[in-house]
Amino acid sequence: MTVRIIHVGLGGWGGNWARTAIPQVTEVEVVGLVDPVPATLDAVREDLGLPASAAFASLTEALAGVEADAVVITAPAVTHVPLALEALEAGKHVLVEKPFANSTDEALTAVRRAEELGLVLQVSQNYRWYPAPRAVQDLLAAGELGELSAISIDFRQWDNDQPVETYPHYRFPHPMINDMAIHHFDLLRMITGKEAVRVYARASYPSYSKYQDEAVTSMIIELEDGLVVSYRGSWLSRAPRTAWAGEWSIQGEDGEIWFTSRDGSPSEVAGDRVTLRADQDAEAEPVELPTLEHTDRQGGLQAFARSVEGGPAPETSGRDNLRSLALMEAAGRSAASGRPEDVVLPE
């Protein structure tokens, strides 16, 4: 069975989804495209070779105009939950870009409705679908380091040269925490299998920053077993840049795992690296990485299609993603309050 999808939101990253990610997954077929900007809609439709009858200005029109099984949402974040709810009410499964929502309370409305209707609701946490974090997850699950003592995560990029008037990233709400650190929060949960209970975040606002909200943030994250994670993230770093998944040092009783992931263009895996050392004086030994059928968004999309067809529930289901979102939300509260904040799931 091929899962027929309506794709909503074709500008910027959504256009990249349409042209480079979705076509690589044979388990899905695009039957409808949605975007309110006619030029954007026509450009993507023509690039994909779809007829004019497959193009719509709204999801409402698309749901009425084509037969589909699911909806993929890559529109702006503020529209994620309203669009997801509309799709769910029409009986469609939903895959939505991250961040799922800007609050856990809003996200929970969609999670509950999907569960009531028996439909798949998945969040695209694409950084999970790379070989390095998969290898690290397996190493930690096997107890390779024994008892863990500390984790440190560093993310460094310079993104401050574009014109303020035309570069939307500078206006993204909380670009360090909500747009970037959400990836690292989700990876932290994935590789450790542990949940965060408390976070202390401090953001800084250099005078030369073009961002309207925080672009530099440091955090201390406490996990449920008391393990402390140190996080440093910056869009304004002049230090050597990291890969998009950052640089991780995971330390334990029996050694250290170091890894990095998602370097270069989306889906490239050449920059994925994992090393293992037994002690401070030992050489770091490279770890062999698994080969994945699909990486990045394609890996998540394939998992989504298989869930729709009756396979396992997606590991980044809306229900599971509430925990990544709750950590993001607590970090934002802490950055604003200047105090440690508990990670609270909505009732």
Side-chain angles (χ1 to χ4, degrees), residues 125-141 183-184 186-192 245-246 248 250 257-263 269 271-274 289-290 292 295-296 315:
Q125 291 286 173
N126 53 311
Y127 284 27
R128 289 194 181 209
W129 299 98
Y130 278 83
R134 292 285 173 180
V136 173
Q137 180 185 34
D138 290 344
L139 289 169
L140 293 181
H183 283 296
H184 307 131
D186 191 70
L187 279 180
L188 177 65
R189 295 182 53 242
M190 169 196 165
I191 65 172
T192 65
W248 296 59
I250 305 169
I257 293 171
W258 181 95
F259 86 91
T260 189
S261 179
R262 201 183 181 275
D263 201 6
V269 299
D272 272 45
R273 289 186 292 136
V274 179
L289 302 184
L292 306 181
T295 56
D296 203 88
E315 64 180 72

Side-chain angles (χ1 to χ4, degrees), residues 1 3 69-70 93-94 120 303-312:
M1 169 183 168
V3 176
D69 306 299
H93 305 279
V94 173
V120 176
F304 174 70
R306 291 178 176 177
S307 293
V308 168
E309 292 173 354

Side-chain angles (χ1 to χ4, degrees), residues 217-288:
T217 308
S218 295
M219 295 178 246
I220 298 295
I221 303 166
E222 181 185 344
L223 302 186
E224 57 192 340
D225 61 351
L227 183 66
V228 174
V229 179
S230 171
Y231 180 93
R232 298 183 297 181
S234 177
W235 286 113
L236 305 176
S237 178
R238 290 298 196 182
R241 75 165 188 85
T242 65
W244 294 104
E247 293 176 349
W248 296 59
S249 173
I250 305 169
Q251 300 153 43
E253 179 183 7
D254 299 323
E256 182 221 28
I257 293 171
W258 181 95
F259 86 91
T260 189
S261 179
R262 201 183 181 275
D263 201 6
S265 300
S267 300
E268 289 185 7
V269 299
D272 272 45
R273 289 186 292 136
V274 179
T275 63
L276 180 62
R277 74 172 77 233
D279 57 56
Q280 290 179 320
D281 299 319
E283 289 291 328
E285 298 292 337
V287 173
E288 184 176 356

Side-chain angles (χ1 to χ4, degrees), residues 76-117:
V78 294
T79 69
H80 285 179
V81 169
L83 288 170
L85 286 170
E86 181 179 2
L88 291 168
E89 294 299 342
K92 312 304 179 188
H93 305 279
V94 173
L95 173 64
V96 60
E97 252 288 8
K98 66 83 202 166
F100 183 4
N102 284 316
S103 76
T104 51
D105 286 335
E106 183 190 26
L108 185 59
T109 62
V111 170
R112 285 176 172 164
R113 193 60 181 140
E115 291 174 348
E116 289 168 357
L117 296 169

